[in-house]
Amino acid sequence: MVTADDFGASLAVNEAVERAHRDGFLTAASLMVTGTVAADAVARAGTMPSLGVGLHLVLVEGRPALPPSDVPMLVDETGAFCRDMARLGLAIFANPSARRQLYAEIEAQFTLFAATGLPLDHVNAHKHFHVHPTIASAILAIGPRYGMKAMRAPVERGRGGALVRLWATLLQRRLRRAGMLVPDQIVGLAWSGAFDRDRMRRALTSLSPGLTEIYTHPAAEDVYPGSARGYRYRDELAALVDRDLGTLARHGSELGNFTAFMQ
């Protein structure tokens, strides 16, 4: 699987996702249902039935689906989600009121996705916040009612700190026990914002056995409202539409979205 995050965040991202799927080898994209141009993303996805669209839950660095007054422990004074993941993570773990607000917000985002009419290909969370055990519990409690059958576990071999790897591995095992389709490994975490042609070639020529998710952040511009500083989004798009890399991706490997690998 070759996936793109942040679908719906910006027209620059939406344009890149469409081009990378139509002209390249992108197979799936994760939709921010509260993104500023989510409606545009949904409209584009409706013309690309082979693009697997999943829910990219936003619980940090974004705005909630619910009114901020309904989730006061999750947001700051501007009504946006708190940016301090450690503090927010502690709050939802230790405070029952914060957990209730978390569950309500996650349900609201699943509801918004369902309203798009798009089949739910997979689920993950912005900044991989779903590795937090409380957030994972909420998603597993809510998601299956909306058709969730697949989820990302950000396990990248030899990459990331020991604690992150441990949490990601525990999440992978937990999801499989729950009957979810979960890739064996992910490639691209260490190269976020810099997954260029050379790195894509290296990734495609050194795939480990099993189901791999190649994870990218393409956009038509390197700077857009909400973009990450220093990310080379256009280089990631260039890698996804490179014809030689597309041929390489299809040679000896099976490409598809999450749903394709459930069958």
PDB file of all heavy atoms in Angstrom, residues 179-209:
ATOM      1  N   GLY A 179      -9.091  -8.248  15.380  1.00  0.00           N
ATOM      2  CA  GLY A 179      -9.514  -8.644  14.045  1.00  0.00           C
ATOM      3  C   GLY A 179      -9.290  -7.610  12.966  1.00  0.00           C
ATOM      4  O   GLY A 179      -9.832  -7.733  11.862  1.00  0.00           O
ATOM      5  N   MET A 180      -8.479  -6.587  13.256  1.00  0.00           N
ATOM      6  CA  MET A 180      -8.194  -5.550  12.271  1.00  0.00           C
ATOM      7  C   MET A 180      -7.064  -5.986  11.322  1.00  0.00           C
ATOM      8  O   MET A 180      -6.141  -6.685  11.730  1.00  0.00           O
ATOM      9  CB  MET A 180      -7.752  -4.253  12.964  1.00  0.00           C
ATOM     10  CG  MET A 180      -8.789  -3.607  13.846  1.00  0.00           C
ATOM     11  SD  MET A 180     -10.156  -2.920  12.900  1.00  0.00           S
ATOM     12  CE  MET A 180     -11.542  -3.715  13.712  1.00  0.00           C
ATOM     13  N   LEU A 181      -7.153  -5.540  10.071  1.00  0.00           N
ATOM     14  CA  LEU A 181      -6.034  -5.676   9.157  1.00  0.00           C
ATOM     15  C   LEU A 181      -5.004  -4.614   9.517  1.00  0.00           C
ATOM     16  O   LEU A 181      -5.334  -3.417   9.584  1.00  0.00           O
ATOM     17  CB  LEU A 181      -6.487  -5.479   7.711  1.00  0.00           C
ATOM     18  CG  LEU A 181      -5.357  -5.452   6.668  1.00  0.00           C
ATOM     19  CD1 LEU A 181      -4.759  -6.839   6.497  1.00  0.00           C
ATOM     20  CD2 LEU A 181      -5.852  -4.918   5.325  1.00  0.00           C
ATOM     21  N   VAL A 182      -3.780  -5.026   9.757  1.00  0.00           N
ATOM     22  CA  VAL A 182      -2.707  -4.109  10.138  1.00  0.00           C
ATOM     23  C   VAL A 182      -1.468  -4.473   9.337  1.00  0.00           C
ATOM     24  O   VAL A 182      -1.064  -5.641   9.308  1.00  0.00           O
ATOM     25  CB  VAL A 182      -2.369  -4.210  11.640  1.00  0.00           C
ATOM     26  CG1 VAL A 182      -1.418  -3.091  12.051  1.00  0.00           C
ATOM     27  CG2 VAL A 182      -3.622  -4.168  12.490  1.00  0.00           C
ATOM     28  N   PRO A 183      -0.838  -3.512   8.659  1.00  0.00           N
ATOM     29  CA  PRO A 183       0.401  -3.824   7.940  1.00  0.00           C
ATOM     30  C   PRO A 183       1.465  -4.382   8.875  1.00  0.00           C
ATOM     31  O   PRO A 183       1.502  -4.049  10.069  1.00  0.00           O
ATOM     32  CB  PRO A 183       0.830  -2.474   7.363  1.00  0.00           C
ATOM     33  CG  PRO A 183      -0.436  -1.693   7.267  1.00  0.00           C
ATOM     34  CD  PRO A 183      -1.257  -2.122   8.449  1.00  0.00           C
ATOM     35  N   ASP A 184       2.333  -5.210   8.321  1.00  0.00           N
ATOM     36  CA  ASP A 184       3.429  -5.764   9.114  1.00  0.00           C
ATOM     37  C   ASP A 184       4.452  -4.696   9.465  1.00  0.00           C
ATOM     38  O   ASP A 184       5.081  -4.749  10.512  1.00  0.00           O
ATOM     39  CB  ASP A 184       4.110  -6.903   8.336  1.00  0.00           C
ATOM     40  CG  ASP A 184       3.161  -8.052   8.102  1.00  0.00           C
ATOM     41  OD1 ASP A 184       2.695  -8.643   9.089  1.00  0.00           O
ATOM     42  OD2 ASP A 184       2.859  -8.338   6.927  1.00  0.00           O
ATOM     43  N   GLN A 185       4.618  -3.742   8.565  1.00  0.00           N
ATOM     44  CA  GLN A 185       5.554  -2.648   8.819  1.00  0.00           C
ATOM     45  C   GLN A 185       5.166  -1.442   7.978  1.00  0.00           C
ATOM     46  O   GLN A 185       4.417  -1.548   7.013  1.00  0.00           O
ATOM     47  CB  GLN A 185       6.997  -3.040   8.501  1.00  0.00           C
ATOM     48  CG  GLN A 185       7.259  -3.463   7.063  1.00  0.00           C
ATOM     49  CD  GLN A 185       7.094  -4.947   6.837  1.00  0.00           C
ATOM     50  OE1 GLN A 185       7.427  -5.750   7.700  1.00  0.00           O
ATOM     51  NE2 GLN A 185       6.581  -5.318   5.679  1.00  0.00           N
ATOM     52  N   ILE A 186       5.673  -0.300   8.396  1.00  0.00           N
ATOM     53  CA  ILE A 186       5.476   0.948   7.675  1.00  0.00           C
ATOM     54  C   ILE A 186       6.847   1.464   7.260  1.00  0.00           C
ATOM     55  O   ILE A 186       7.842   1.248   7.952  1.00  0.00           O
ATOM     56  CB  ILE A 186       4.722   1.964   8.564  1.00  0.00           C
ATOM     57  CG1 ILE A 186       4.286   3.185   7.763  1.00  0.00           C
ATOM     58  CG2 ILE A 186       5.522   2.359   9.773  1.00  0.00           C
ATOM     59  CD1 ILE A 186       3.325   4.092   8.527  1.00  0.00           C
ATOM     60  N   VAL A 187       6.892   2.115   6.113  1.00  0.00           N
ATOM     61  CA  VAL A 187       8.135   2.720   5.629  1.00  0.00           C
ATOM     62  C   VAL A 187       7.869   4.192   5.352  1.00  0.00           C
ATOM     63  O   VAL A 187       6.894   4.530   4.665  1.00  0.00           O
ATOM     64  CB  VAL A 187       8.632   2.032   4.338  1.00  0.00           C
ATOM     65  CG1 VAL A 187       9.861   2.753   3.790  1.00  0.00           C
ATOM     66  CG2 VAL A 187       8.952   0.573   4.594  1.00  0.00           C
ATOM     67  N   GLY A 188       8.706   5.057   5.888  1.00  0.00           N
ATOM     68  CA  GLY A 188       8.568   6.477   5.615  1.00  0.00           C
ATOM     69  C   GLY A 188       8.488   7.372   6.836  1.00  0.00           C
ATOM     70  O   GLY A 188       8.581   8.591   6.719  1.00  0.00           O
ATOM     71  N   LEU A 189       8.326   6.778   8.010  1.00  0.00           N
ATOM     72  CA  LEU A 189       8.256   7.603   9.220  1.00  0.00           C
ATOM     73  C   LEU A 189       9.508   8.450   9.381  1.00  0.00           C
ATOM     74  O   LEU A 189       9.441   9.642   9.669  1.00  0.00           O
ATOM     75  CB  LEU A 189       8.069   6.723  10.457  1.00  0.00           C
ATOM     76  CG  LEU A 189       6.722   6.030  10.622  1.00  0.00           C
ATOM     77  CD1 LEU A 189       6.756   5.125  11.836  1.00  0.00           C
ATOM     78  CD2 LEU A 189       5.609   7.034  10.749  1.00  0.00           C
ATOM     79  N   ALA A 190      10.644   7.825   9.209  1.00  0.00           N
ATOM     80  CA  ALA A 190      11.906   8.539   9.404  1.00  0.00           C
ATOM     81  C   ALA A 190      12.154   9.568   8.308  1.00  0.00           C
ATOM     82  O   ALA A 190      12.976  10.473   8.494  1.00  0.00           O
ATOM     83  CB  ALA A 190      13.069   7.547   9.450  1.00  0.00           C
ATOM     84  N   TRP A 191      11.447   9.441   7.185  1.00  0.00           N
ATOM     85  CA  TRP A 191      11.660  10.351   6.053  1.00  0.00           C
ATOM     86  C   TRP A 191      10.497  11.312   5.858  1.00  0.00           C
ATOM     87  O   TRP A 191      10.354  11.914   4.787  1.00  0.00           O
ATOM     88  CB  TRP A 191      11.864   9.536   4.780  1.00  0.00           C
ATOM     89  CG  TRP A 191      13.102   8.685   4.797  1.00  0.00           C
ATOM     90  CD1 TRP A 191      14.261   8.919   5.477  1.00  0.00           C
ATOM     91  CD2 TRP A 191      13.311   7.450   4.084  1.00  0.00           C
ATOM     92  NE1 TRP A 191      15.175   7.927   5.244  1.00  0.00           N
ATOM     93  CE2 TRP A 191      14.622   6.999   4.392  1.00  0.00           C
ATOM     94  CE3 TRP A 191      12.529   6.693   3.223  1.00  0.00           C
ATOM     95  CZ2 TRP A 191      15.159   5.829   3.867  1.00  0.00           C
ATOM     96  CZ3 TRP A 191      13.058   5.525   2.695  1.00  0.00           C
ATOM     97  CH2 TRP A 191      14.357   5.103   3.012  1.00  0.00           C
ATOM     98  N   SER A 192       9.655  11.476   6.868  1.00  0.00           N
ATOM     99  CA  SER A 192       8.496  12.365   6.725  1.00  0.00           C
ATOM    100  C   SER A 192       8.929  13.751   6.268  1.00  0.00           C
ATOM    101  O   SER A 192       9.802  14.382   6.878  1.00  0.00           O
ATOM    102  CB  SER A 192       7.764  12.491   8.070  1.00  0.00           C
ATOM    103  OG  SER A 192       7.110  11.297   8.398  1.00  0.00           O
ATOM    104  N   GLY A 193       8.318  14.191   5.182  1.00  0.00           N
ATOM    105  CA  GLY A 193       8.655  15.497   4.638  1.00  0.00           C
ATOM    106  C   GLY A 193       9.878  15.498   3.748  1.00  0.00           C
ATOM    107  O   GLY A 193      10.251  16.550   3.212  1.00  0.00           O
ATOM    108  N   ALA A 194      10.484  14.337   3.560  1.00  0.00           N
ATOM    109  CA  ALA A 194      11.693  14.260   2.734  1.00  0.00           C
ATOM    110  C   ALA A 194      11.770  12.913   2.007  1.00  0.00           C
ATOM    111  O   ALA A 194      12.851  12.399   1.751  1.00  0.00           O
ATOM    112  CB  ALA A 194      12.936  14.453   3.596  1.00  0.00           C
ATOM    113  N   PHE A 195      10.610  12.355   1.668  1.00  0.00           N
ATOM    114  CA  PHE A 195      10.553  11.057   0.998  1.00  0.00           C
ATOM    115  C   PHE A 195      10.672  11.289  -0.508  1.00  0.00           C
ATOM    116  O   PHE A 195       9.708  11.210  -1.263  1.00  0.00           O
ATOM    117  CB  PHE A 195       9.239  10.368   1.345  1.00  0.00           C
ATOM    118  CG  PHE A 195       9.270   8.870   1.295  1.00  0.00           C
ATOM    119  CD1 PHE A 195       8.330   8.124   1.990  1.00  0.00           C
ATOM    120  CD2 PHE A 195      10.223   8.184   0.566  1.00  0.00           C
ATOM    121  CE1 PHE A 195       8.325   6.747   1.956  1.00  0.00           C
ATOM    122  CE2 PHE A 195      10.253   6.808   0.516  1.00  0.00           C
ATOM    123  CZ  PHE A 195       9.292   6.083   1.221  1.00  0.00           C
ATOM    124  N   ASP A 196      11.884  11.569  -0.949  1.00  0.00           N
ATOM    125  CA  ASP A 196      12.130  11.946  -2.338  1.00  0.00           C
ATOM    126  C   ASP A 196      12.339  10.717  -3.228  1.00  0.00           C
ATOM    127  O   ASP A 196      12.172   9.573  -2.781  1.00  0.00           O
ATOM    128  CB  ASP A 196      13.315  12.906  -2.432  1.00  0.00           C
ATOM    129  CG  ASP A 196      14.587  12.330  -1.813  1.00  0.00           C
ATOM    130  OD1 ASP A 196      14.720  11.085  -1.701  1.00  0.00           O
ATOM    131  OD2 ASP A 196      15.471  13.130  -1.440  1.00  0.00           O
ATOM    132  N   ARG A 197      12.703  10.957  -4.490  1.00  0.00           N
ATOM    133  CA  ARG A 197      12.845   9.857  -5.446  1.00  0.00           C
ATOM    134  C   ARG A 197      13.879   8.834  -5.000  1.00  0.00           C
ATOM    135  O   ARG A 197      13.654   7.626  -5.089  1.00  0.00           O
ATOM    136  CB  ARG A 197      13.236  10.408  -6.825  1.00  0.00           C
ATOM    137  CG  ARG A 197      12.123  11.112  -7.587  1.00  0.00           C
ATOM    138  CD  ARG A 197      12.647  11.512  -8.958  1.00  0.00           C
ATOM    139  NE  ARG A 197      11.657  12.116  -9.812  1.00  0.00           N
ATOM    140  CZ  ARG A 197      11.475  13.430  -9.940  1.00  0.00           C
ATOM    141  NH1 ARG A 197      12.213  14.261  -9.209  1.00  0.00           N
ATOM    142  NH2 ARG A 197      10.551  13.903 -10.753  1.00  0.00           N
ATOM    143  N   ASP A 198      15.041   9.299  -4.553  1.00  0.00           N
ATOM    144  CA  ASP A 198      16.099   8.373  -4.154  1.00  0.00           C
ATOM    145  C   ASP A 198      15.655   7.492  -2.994  1.00  0.00           C
ATOM    146  O   ASP A 198      15.904   6.280  -2.981  1.00  0.00           O
ATOM    147  CB  ASP A 198      17.364   9.145  -3.774  1.00  0.00           C
ATOM    148  CG  ASP A 198      18.054   9.766  -4.978  1.00  0.00           C
ATOM    149  OD1 ASP A 198      17.768   9.339  -6.123  1.00  0.00           O
ATOM    150  OD2 ASP A 198      18.885  10.677  -4.788  1.00  0.00           O
ATOM    151  N   ARG A 199      15.006   8.094  -2.018  1.00  0.00           N
ATOM    152  CA  ARG A 199      14.549   7.311  -0.871  1.00  0.00           C
ATOM    153  C   ARG A 199      13.418   6.369  -1.261  1.00  0.00           C
ATOM    154  O   ARG A 199      13.332   5.242  -0.741  1.00  0.00           O
ATOM    155  CB  ARG A 199      14.133   8.252   0.261  1.00  0.00           C
ATOM    156  CG  ARG A 199      15.341   8.849   0.967  1.00  0.00           C
ATOM    157  CD  ARG A 199      14.992   9.930   1.945  1.00  0.00           C
ATOM    158  NE  ARG A 199      16.151  10.257   2.770  1.00  0.00           N
ATOM    159  CZ  ARG A 199      16.278  11.359   3.482  1.00  0.00           C
ATOM    160  NH1 ARG A 199      15.298  12.276   3.461  1.00  0.00           N
ATOM    161  NH2 ARG A 199      17.349  11.570   4.226  1.00  0.00           N
ATOM    162  N   MET A 200      12.549   6.795  -2.158  1.00  0.00           N
ATOM    163  CA  MET A 200      11.490   5.912  -2.625  1.00  0.00           C
ATOM    164  C   MET A 200      12.080   4.709  -3.347  1.00  0.00           C
ATOM    165  O   MET A 200      11.617   3.566  -3.165  1.00  0.00           O
ATOM    166  CB  MET A 200      10.528   6.666  -3.541  1.00  0.00           C
ATOM    167  CG  MET A 200       9.337   5.839  -4.011  1.00  0.00           C
ATOM    168  SD  MET A 200       8.228   5.323  -2.674  1.00  0.00           S
ATOM    169  CE  MET A 200       7.429   6.892  -2.294  1.00  0.00           C
ATOM    170  N   ARG A 201      13.093   4.948  -4.157  1.00  0.00           N
ATOM    171  CA  ARG A 201      13.748   3.826  -4.849  1.00  0.00           C
ATOM    172  C   ARG A 201      14.345   2.856  -3.836  1.00  0.00           C
ATOM    173  O   ARG A 201      14.205   1.629  -3.966  1.00  0.00           O
ATOM    174  CB  ARG A 201      14.830   4.346  -5.803  1.00  0.00           C
ATOM    175  CG  ARG A 201      15.478   3.251  -6.652  1.00  0.00           C
ATOM    176  CD  ARG A 201      16.480   3.838  -7.646  1.00  0.00           C
ATOM    177  NE  ARG A 201      15.834   4.753  -8.558  1.00  0.00           N
ATOM    178  CZ  ARG A 201      15.170   4.365  -9.644  1.00  0.00           C
ATOM    179  NH1 ARG A 201      15.073   3.077  -9.943  1.00  0.00           N
ATOM    180  NH2 ARG A 201      14.618   5.260 -10.438  1.00  0.00           N
ATOM    181  N   ARG A 202      14.998   3.394  -2.821  1.00  0.00           N
ATOM    182  CA  ARG A 202      15.576   2.543  -1.776  1.00  0.00           C
ATOM    183  C   ARG A 202      14.491   1.745  -1.065  1.00  0.00           C
ATOM    184  O   ARG A 202      14.661   0.559  -0.774  1.00  0.00           O
ATOM    185  CB  ARG A 202      16.356   3.395  -0.766  1.00  0.00           C
ATOM    186  CG  ARG A 202      17.687   3.899  -1.298  1.00  0.00           C
ATOM    187  CD  ARG A 202      18.233   5.038  -0.442  1.00  0.00           C
ATOM    188  NE  ARG A 202      18.360   4.668   0.961  1.00  0.00           N
ATOM    189  CZ  ARG A 202      18.667   5.534   1.922  1.00  0.00           C
ATOM    190  NH1 ARG A 202      18.857   6.818   1.622  1.00  0.00           N
ATOM    191  NH2 ARG A 202      18.796   5.138   3.168  1.00  0.00           N
ATOM    192  N   ALA A 203      13.370   2.401  -0.791  1.00  0.00           N
ATOM    193  CA  ALA A 203      12.273   1.721  -0.105  1.00  0.00           C
ATOM    194  C   ALA A 203      11.715   0.587  -0.955  1.00  0.00           C
ATOM    195  O   ALA A 203      11.488  -0.530  -0.461  1.00  0.00           O
ATOM    196  CB  ALA A 203      11.177   2.720   0.237  1.00  0.00           C
ATOM    197  N   LEU A 204      11.506   0.859  -2.239  1.00  0.00           N
ATOM    198  CA  LEU A 204      10.881  -0.131  -3.110  1.00  0.00           C
ATOM    199  C   LEU A 204      11.795  -1.314  -3.407  1.00  0.00           C
ATOM    200  O   LEU A 204      11.310  -2.406  -3.718  1.00  0.00           O
ATOM    201  CB  LEU A 204      10.457   0.539  -4.420  1.00  0.00           C
ATOM    202  CG  LEU A 204       9.321   1.559  -4.305  1.00  0.00           C
ATOM    203  CD1 LEU A 204       9.130   2.292  -5.627  1.00  0.00           C
ATOM    204  CD2 LEU A 204       8.021   0.892  -3.873  1.00  0.00           C
ATOM    205  N   THR A 205      13.101  -1.105  -3.340  1.00  0.00           N
ATOM    206  CA  THR A 205      14.042  -2.188  -3.636  1.00  0.00           C
ATOM    207  C   THR A 205      14.492  -2.940  -2.395  1.00  0.00           C
ATOM    208  O   THR A 205      15.303  -3.864  -2.493  1.00  0.00           O
ATOM    209  CB  THR A 205      15.286  -1.643  -4.374  1.00  0.00           C
ATOM    210  OG1 THR A 205      15.875  -0.590  -3.594  1.00  0.00           O
ATOM    211  CG2 THR A 205      14.918  -1.114  -5.750  1.00  0.00           C
ATOM    212  N   SER A 206      13.973  -2.577  -1.230  1.00  0.00           N
ATOM    213  CA  SER A 206      14.399  -3.262   0.004  1.00  0.00           C
ATOM    214  C   SER A 206      13.207  -3.593   0.893  1.00  0.00           C
ATOM    215  O   SER A 206      13.324  -3.563   2.125  1.00  0.00           O
ATOM    216  CB  SER A 206      15.399  -2.388   0.768  1.00  0.00           C
ATOM    217  OG  SER A 206      14.828  -1.127   1.095  1.00  0.00           O
ATOM    218  N   LEU A 207      12.071  -3.902   0.256  1.00  0.00           N
ATOM    219  CA  LEU A 207      10.878  -4.235   1.028  1.00  0.00           C
ATOM    220  C   LEU A 207      11.058  -5.560   1.764  1.00  0.00           C
ATOM    221  O   LEU A 207      11.563  -6.529   1.209  1.00  0.00           O
ATOM    222  CB  LEU A 207       9.663  -4.325   0.112  1.00  0.00           C
ATOM    223  CG  LEU A 207       9.170  -3.013  -0.507  1.00  0.00           C
ATOM    224  CD1 LEU A 207       8.053  -3.300  -1.508  1.00  0.00           C
ATOM    225  CD2 LEU A 207       8.684  -2.046   0.568  1.00  0.00           C
ATOM    226  N   SER A 208      10.615  -5.573   3.011  1.00  0.00           N
ATOM    227  CA  SER A 208      10.643  -6.806   3.792  1.00  0.00           C
ATOM    228  C   SER A 208       9.441  -7.664   3.422  1.00  0.00           C
ATOM    229  O   SER A 208       8.439  -7.154   2.906  1.00  0.00           O
ATOM    230  CB  SER A 208      10.606  -6.478   5.283  1.00  0.00           C
ATOM    231  OG  SER A 208      11.711  -5.690   5.665  1.00  0.00           O
ATOM    232  N   PRO A 209       9.510  -8.961   3.679  1.00  0.00           N
ATOM    233  CA  PRO A 209       8.344  -9.814   3.412  1.00  0.00           C
ATOM    234  C   PRO A 209       7.136  -9.344   4.217  1.00  0.00           C
ATOM    235  O   PRO A 209       7.269  -8.796   5.312  1.00  0.00           O
ATOM    236  CB  PRO A 209       8.817 -11.202   3.876  1.00  0.00           C
ATOM    237  CG  PRO A 209      10.311 -11.130   3.828  1.00  0.00           C
ATOM    238  CD  PRO A 209      10.664  -9.719   4.185  1.00  0.00           C
TER     239      PRO A 209
END
